[in-house]
Amino acid sequence: MSEHELLLPTVDEENICLPLAVSAVSKYWNVSLPFSEAKEIAKKYPNVRGSILIEGIEIAERHGLGSLILHSSLSG
């Protein structure tokens, strides 16, 4: 069995509008996701505290990143 390790950079600045996973992956690929765009989208959800996953993914895709949602198990 081969081992794979993905080292993600630390996220120094807090962007509560973007999910941490989206922020970390964008930094790994050196893609800057504008806080202003995330903040504007977050206005659609005034009663939600925290980030909105799908909108974070959509922002990442608009800036050149791709996504895949996979239902799987690590065993196997």
Side-chain angles (χ1 to χ4, degrees), residues 18-35:
L18 288 175
L20 179 60
V22 173
S23 294
V25 170
S26 69
K27 287 190 179 301
Y28 176 81
W29 290 107
N30 201 29
V31 173
S32 178
L33 300 179
F35 177 73

Side-chain angles (χ1 to χ4, degrees), residues 15-26 31-34 37-39 41-42 44-45 51-70:
N15 184 341
I16 62 167
C17 301
L18 288 175
L20 179 60
V22 173
S23 294
V25 170
S26 69
V31 173
S32 178
L33 300 179
E37 186 176 347
K39 188 176 176 182
I41 289 172
K44 294 193 297 187
Y45 307 95
S51 61
I52 307 294
L53 180 62
I54 297 302
E55 279 76 1
I57 292 170
E58 289 174 349
I59 290 171
E61 288 179 340
R62 278 196 294 276
H63 292 275
L65 295 172
S67 65
L68 171 68
I69 298 173
L70 178 66

